[in-house]
Amino acid sequence: MRAARLVAAEPGRTRQVPPTCHVVVVGGGVAGISAAVVLAERGARVTLLEAADTLGGRLGAWQHRMPDGTEQVIEHGFHAFFRHYYTWRAVLRRADPLLSFLRPVGSYPVIARRWPDEDLTGLPAMPPLSLLALFARSPSLRWRDVLGANRALGIELLGYHPERTPAALDAMPAADFLDRVNLPRRARTMLFEAFARSFFCDPQSLSSAELVTMFHFFFLGNPEGLAFDAPDTDYLRCIWRPLDAYLRRNGASVRTSASVLAVRPGPAHRWRVQLDGEELLAGHLVLALDPAGLRALLDRSPLLRQAAPRLADQVDALAVAEPYAVSRLWLDRDVSPHRAVFSAVTAEATLDSITCYHRLEAPSRAWAAANSGAVLELHSYACTAPDPEQAAVRMRAELDELWPETRAARVRHQVTRYEAAAPAFPPDGAARRPGVHTDALGIRVAGDFVTLPFCAGLMERAAMSGVLAANEILAEEGAAAEPIDGVPQRGLLAGLTPFTRPPKARRSRR
C-alpha cells in the first residue's frame, strides 16, 4: 500500500502570490503554523497571532523550574508522531529536513489489570494482511469471535467510505456500535475501547462514524503500519523554536501573547483584526483556534456573526470533549526495566496512558540519571475527576495497581494540568461542524475539529486543515496548490457491498 496523492502540485502554475497578499493567522498551534508556513514560503505577508506566550496549542511546551533549581520543559501531554502523518511531517521538515529529532518508540502495549498486555506494533501495513495478523496474534480476538460478530456492522467497520460512513453511522454512539458488533468483552476492552478513548472522548459520546473513520485512518488504511515516533527532546526545543525561526526567515511576523479581541468587516472586502491598542487590516484570515476559543471570538465579534451566519451556527454547535488531565511525576526511583516507553491503559476509571519520559527525551533522562529516579506522565483523555487534584490522586492510585513497583516511590515533584480544550465528535454532529471554507469571503477555519474532504485524524487533521486553508488562499491569489498526501480514501470492503443505515441506535445499559 502507498500513500495517496490527495492534492496535486499543479506544475507550471506560479507558486508565488502577489506582494499585496496579507494573511492574518489567529492561533499558533499545529493548524495555524501549518497554514502560516505554506503561505509565508509563497510570498504572502503573514502575521501569526497566538494568545498564549508560547506557540503550539495543545502540542505546546513551556519552561518549568523544579524545586531543586533544575530547568525542565513540560507539555500538555504525550503525542505520538505516526509515520502516516504526511502533512504534519512535511511541515516539520521545513525546520529539520531529516526529522532527526524523531526516534522510534518501539512496542507500545495496551495494558489492563484483568488481562495480559496486548502489543499492536509490528503488524503488516497492507490490508487484509494487517487484519489477518491481528487475528493470528491477538489473544483477545479469535476467528470464532469474528464468525459470531454482527456481519453488517463488521462490514461497516472494514468498509470506510468518505460519504457513506457518516450517512450510515454518525447518529450511533460508538459504545452502541461496539455493543452491536458483539465482540467478546476482552477484545472490545483491549482493542477498541482503548482506541476510542485516545480521541479524548468516552465511547458513549463519540460518533460511530468517527470511530470507523479513525479505525481506517490509523489501522486499516495506514500505509506505514501502526508504528509511531516521538521527539528525543522537548517540543519547545525541537519543534516550536525551529518553526518560529523558519517563519521569521520567510518574512512572517510571529507574535505571542497577542489576544484577538474582535474581528469585523473592513473596507474593500478586507477584515479588521482588533488587538489591545492596535488594529490589523488583512484580505485573508485563518481562524485556527480550538472550539471554545473560536466560539468566544465570535461572541466578541457580532459583526462577524452577522457577516457569516452559517459559520456562527456551526461554531455554536461545536462540542468540547470531557476534560483531559496530565500529571507529570518526578519519582525518587526507576520503574521496572521491562516497562515500555509508552503504554496505553484500558478498563481504568481515570488513567488512559503512562509514558516513561526519562526513557524518551534528553532533559528528563538527564534529571533521572542525576537523581537516580524516573519521570512519568500519567494521562487521562476523558477525565471524570472533578478537578486536577483528584485526577492526580486517582491516576496515581491506578498506576500503583498496574505497576506495583511504584507504590514505594516518593514523588519529588509533580505538575498536573486539567483542561477542556479538545474537540468532541458526538453522535449526529458531523453535518454541523464547520469546514475550512466559510460563508464569509476571505475567512477560513482550521483545526482538528474541522470537517475535511479527506480522511485524517488528530495532529494530521489539524495540519491538513491548515494546508487546505492555505491552498484556498493560494488559489484565490492565482498560485499553485501545496501538494497533500494521505491514506487511501476507501476501506477494504467499501466497494463490495452497499452501505445500509443500521437500525436505530439504542442507548448503552452499561
Side-chain angles (χ1 to χ4, degrees), residues 457-478:
L458 297 179
M459 285 193 289
E460 180 67 0
R461 180 183 265 153
M464 190 180 288
S465 73
V467 175
L468 287 168
N471 277 349
E472 281 209 3
I473 295 170
L474 294 174
E476 194 169 308
E477 296 288 345

Side-chain angles (χ1 to χ4, degrees), residues 178-407:
L178 294 175
D179 282 345
R180 290 167 181 249
V181 170
N182 195 34
L183 290 173
R185 169 54 62 180
R186 180 175 176 179
R188 172 178 170 148
T189 302
M190 297 298 290
L191 300 178
F192 288 98
E193 288 186 355
F195 178 76
R197 287 182 64 85
S198 66
F199 303 105
F200 296 86
C201 296
D202 183 89
Q204 189 60 62
S205 58
L206 177 69
S207 158
S208 292
E210 183 70 11
L211 176 70
V212 170
T213 301
M214 292 302 98
F215 190 72
H216 174 76
F217 177 69
F218 283 100
F219 183 49
L220 285 182
N222 183 351
E224 309 299 330
L226 199 62
F228 61 78
D229 306 309
D232 62 0
T233 189
D234 61 80
Y235 300 160
L236 190 62
R237 190 172 318 187
C238 66
I239 297 175
W240 300 118
R241 286 175 180 165
L243 284 175
D244 185 331
Y246 181 83
L247 283 168
R248 294 176 191 274
R249 288 197 302 272
N250 280 274
S253 172
V254 180
R255 300 169 60 175
T256 54
S257 303
S259 296
V260 175
L261 303 180
V263 172
R264 58 191 177 93
H269 302 292
R270 290 180 291 177
W271 293 93
R272 297 184 185 275
V273 181
Q274 182 184 347
L275 305 170
D276 187 12
E278 181 184 4
E279 188 174 79
L280 303 177
L281 193 64
H284 303 283
L285 294 186
V286 178
L287 303 180
L289 300 161
D290 62 41
L294 183 57
R295 184 183 298 113
L297 177 59
L298 263 71
D299 288 344
R300 298 191 301 267
S301 308
L303 294 179
L304 174 56
R305 280 186 168 273
Q306 183 179 334
R310 182 169 179 269
L311 173 62
D313 288 344
Q314 291 170 328
V315 172
D316 288 342
L318 286 174
V320 177
E322 296 91 343
Y324 61 87
V326 181
S327 187
R328 182 81 65 100
L329 304 176
W330 287 263
L331 302 179
D332 67 350
R333 66 197 67 192
D334 202 353
V335 296
S336 296
H338 70 277
R339 301 300 185 193
V341 169
F342 176 83
S343 299
V345 176
T346 191
E348 295 294 333
T350 311
L351 185 60
D352 287 309
S353 71
I354 308 166
T355 307
C356 296
Y357 262 76
H358 61 299
R359 297 176 184 172
L360 177 68
E361 58 159 37
S364 295
R365 187 160 51 246
W367 185 91
N371 293 275
S372 300
V375 183
L376 302 185
E377 179 195 273
L378 312 181
H379 203 155
S380 178
Y381 299 137
C383 190
T384 57
D387 54 57
E389 291 75 21
Q390 292 192 52
V393 169
R394 293 181 189 182
M395 288 192 290
R396 174 63 194 273
E398 291 165 9
L399 169 72
D400 290 348
E401 292 299 317
L402 290 162
W403 291 3
E405 72 271 17
T406 64
R407 295 172 184 168

Side-chain angles (χ1 to χ4, degrees), residues 1 6 80-88 125 157 160-161 195 199 209-227 452 454-464 484-492:
M1 187 191 295
L6 305 178
F81 290 66
F82 284 90
R83 293 169 191 169
H84 68 313
Y85 283 3
Y86 302 117
T87 312
W88 179 221
L157 184 63
Y160 166 76
H161 187 284
F195 178 76
F199 303 105
E210 183 70 11
L211 176 70
V212 170
T213 301
M214 292 302 98
F215 190 72
H216 174 76
F217 177 69
F218 283 100
F219 183 49
L220 285 182
N222 183 351
E224 309 299 330
L226 199 62
L452 301 183
F454 309 118
C455 179
L458 297 179
M459 285 193 289
E460 180 67 0
R461 180 183 265 153
M464 190 180 288
I484 297 176
D485 291 336
V487 303
Q489 297 294 293
R490 298 287 189 275
L492 181 64

